[in-house]
Amino acid sequence: MRDYNCVIRRIHALNPLHAKFEILGSAAGWPIYGITLSKNDMLPKILILGGVHGDEPAGVEACLAFCDLNHQNWFNSFQFYIIPCLNPHGYVHDTRNNDQDIDINWAFPSKNLPEIQALRKFVNDQEYKVIISLHEDWESYGYYMYEYRKDVTAIGQNILKRVAEVCPINLDGEIDGVSATDGLVDELDLEERAKMRGLGIPIALFQDNTDRLVTTETPTSLSLDCRVEAQITAIQAMIENYISLKL
Ligand SMILES: [Zn+2]
């Protein structure tokens, strides 16, 4: 069993000067936390989700590590909204699904699920510059990502170039049944995908709350340190692209 109390302790130990946390609800007895890093509530917002699947711990670690980074210059540009572990029961038991054996990533319309309620409460119809959902893949030998975007510049390949410095990239022409280029899954027909898999968290949030949603996938076969570094690098590269390209 993984120690969620350690996650709780790390959240409570965050620097209160820039990090505020709240309990959004609880799932199977475990609290779900939302963290806000903000210096100015007029700044654009970035949402980061970790631990949607309980057996993908690198995203949880990356969220917590990101909260500990002292990048004051980013706080002059953005506010960060972070749910480090949306599925604490799965995290504790190392299962993809929650205690009801539901894959919450694809259960967004299930309004009575505590994890979905917590997410909806935190998102609260806000608009985000970008949403980053941190995932892992047990079958991939390298890192890859999805970039859903509306009328905004593609930056997925910029992110991948940076991640390639710390983690191997999955260079297959097809990933998870979809064609891919240099680790970036090619643009998906989201209506088709929603028909296949249901209205998932990524599709629902992309439709209603942002012009860009990125799902990053680290290969579980590599060391946790490498995967966490890859996830943090992806988040950093995303922010730096937004700042340098004035997106
Ligand atoms: Zn996942």
Side-chain angles (χ1 to χ4, degrees):
M1 293 225 303
R2 224 180 260 122
D3 185 5
Y4 190 66
N5 286 317
C6 180
V7 173
I8 294 173
R9 280 197 298 276
R10 287 163 70 186
I11 293 170
H12 284 249
L14 290 172
N15 182 347
L17 282 178
H18 66 256
K20 291 193 171 46
F21 64 83
E22 60 185 304
I23 294 176
L24 303 169
S26 73
W30 299 103
I32 299 171
Y33 284 85
I35 301 168
T36 310
L37 309 177
S38 172
K39 244 169 71 167
N40 175 347
D41 62 13
M42 302 298 286
L43 292 174
K45 303 176 177 81
I46 292 177
L47 176 67
I48 305 173
L49 302 176
V52 175
H53 292 134
D55 56 351
E56 300 175 8
V60 179
E61 287 296 319
C63 284
L64 295 172
F66 180 80
C67 290
D68 276 332
L69 293 175
N70 187 13
H71 283 291
Q72 288 297 334
N73 51 332
W74 293 345
F75 299 145
N76 292 326
S77 301
F78 296 105
Q79 307 177 73
F80 298 94
Y81 284 72
I82 300 166
I83 298 181
C85 187
L86 188 61
N87 178 6
H89 181 274
Y91 178 82
V92 169
H93 296 277
D94 200 26
T95 58
R96 177 179 177 88
N97 296 348
N98 72 357
D99 65 310
Q100 301 170 56
D101 200 21
I102 291 170
D103 182 343
I104 58 174
N105 200 41
W106 298 99
F108 191 79
S110 308
K111 291 187 178 156
N112 56 348
L113 284 180
E115 297 90 347
I116 298 296
Q117 286 171 346
L119 176 64
R120 286 176 183 268
K121 182 177 176 186
F122 196 55
V123 168
N124 192 25
D125 295 331
Q126 297 184 104
E127 279 288 320
Y128 302 94
K129 266 280 188 200
V130 58
I131 297 175
I132 308 170
S133 191
L134 308 178
H135 284 261
E136 302 211 75
D137 189 324
W138 290 88
E139 291 160 346
S140 178
Y141 62 88
Y143 176 94
Y144 65 94
M145 59 184 274
Y146 298 81
E147 180 181 31
Y148 300 170
R149 61 192 174 90
K150 294 172 186 163
D151 191 19
V152 290
T153 314
I155 53 174
Q157 290 296 353
N158 297 358
I159 312 296
L160 279 152
K161 280 195 194 93
R162 290 280 303 281
V163 175
E165 293 167 14
V166 300
C167 180
I169 305 294
N170 183 331
L171 298 174
D172 292 351
E174 187 175 293
I175 299 174
D176 209 14
V178 184
S179 69
T181 308
D182 298 334
L184 184 64
V185 175
D186 293 336
E187 295 208 21
L188 298 163
D189 182 335
L190 292 182
E191 275 179 26
E192 212 33 56
R193 201 159 170 89
K195 262 188 229 155
M196 269 165 49
R197 303 202 66 171
L199 183 64
I201 289 174
I203 296 175
L205 294 183
F206 174 65
Q207 284 176 346
D208 291 343
N209 302 96
T210 189
D211 288 338
R212 188 193 317 272
L213 183 141
V214 166
T215 299
T216 83
E217 302 268 359
T218 44
T220 320
S221 55
L222 299 182
S223 75
L224 184 62
D225 283 352
C226 173
R227 287 142 53 201
V228 173
E229 197 178 354
Q231 297 284 18
I232 291 175
T233 301
I235 298 169
Q236 288 178 332
M238 178 69 71
I239 297 165
E240 286 163 14
N241 268 268
Y242 266 88
I243 292 173
S244 65
L245 301 175
K246 298 188 169 46
L247 296 172

